[in-house]
Amino acid sequence: KKFETVKRRYNNSTHDRIDPPKPVDTKWVGHNREQGLDIDGIVGKGVLVKSGDKLVNKMTPKNTNDIMANPESAHGDGFRSSPLLYKGPQDAYIDKVMLTENENEPCIIKILT
């Protein structure tokens, strides 16, 4: 199955970002939805994923319309989580991870299971 997301740039010079996974809470006993993410925030090849696991930890700016004096200064509160999630009826292994671009999009992330 193929999963895809785009890291977009917006008219106000803001752009999507990909965050690294949060540090693991050793007190948590449930399933960690970010356990397959590498330090770059993208799932690694060969990782076993379950339904609902994050494949890409993408963050989108909350404000994509208003011109900002310094769009690079938008941190934390200026972004909302918009991850790419694995949606499948059964667990699967990540077969391929590819980053590419085209004339319209500067960064396209494609993942095959």
Side-chain angles (χ1 to χ4, degrees):
K1 194 169 179 183
K2 179 177 151 183
F3 298 88
E4 184 175 309
T5 190
V6 175
K7 191 175 163 190
R8 289 196 162 80
R9 280 197 142 336
Y10 300 97
N11 292 334
N12 66 349
S13 297
T14 59
H15 55 85
D16 295 341
R17 70 179 194 207
I18 299 174
D19 283 356
K22 295 178 193 117
V24 176
D25 182 359
T26 55
K27 296 177 186 167
W28 176 255
V29 292
H31 178 69
N32 179 1
R33 298 292 179 195
E34 294 185 346
Q35 72 181 7
L37 296 178
D38 284 340
I39 193 72
D40 62 2
I42 301 172
V43 72
K45 181 181 174 186
V47 171
L48 176 66
V49 290
K50 300 176 185 226
S51 186
D53 282 0
K54 288 184 181 181
L55 301 176
V56 178
N57 195 23
K58 186 168 96 168
M59 304 295 281
T60 304
K62 289 180 182 176
N63 180 357
T64 59
N65 297 319
D66 299 332
I67 302 296
M68 300 175 72
N70 185 4
E72 296 301 319
S73 67
H75 296 293
D77 293 344
F79 287 84
R80 64 179 167 79
S81 181
S82 54
L84 176 63
L85 302 175
Y86 173 69
K87 297 173 187 163
Q90 56 198 19
D91 300 353
Y93 286 95
I94 301 301
D95 187 37
K96 294 180 182 179
V97 179
M98 182 176 80
L99 279 70
T100 187
E101 63 184 40
N102 63 27
E103 62 278 351
N104 300 322
E105 302 296 344
C107 182
I108 303 167
I109 303 166
K110 298 178 180 183
I111 298 169
L112 292 177
T113 59

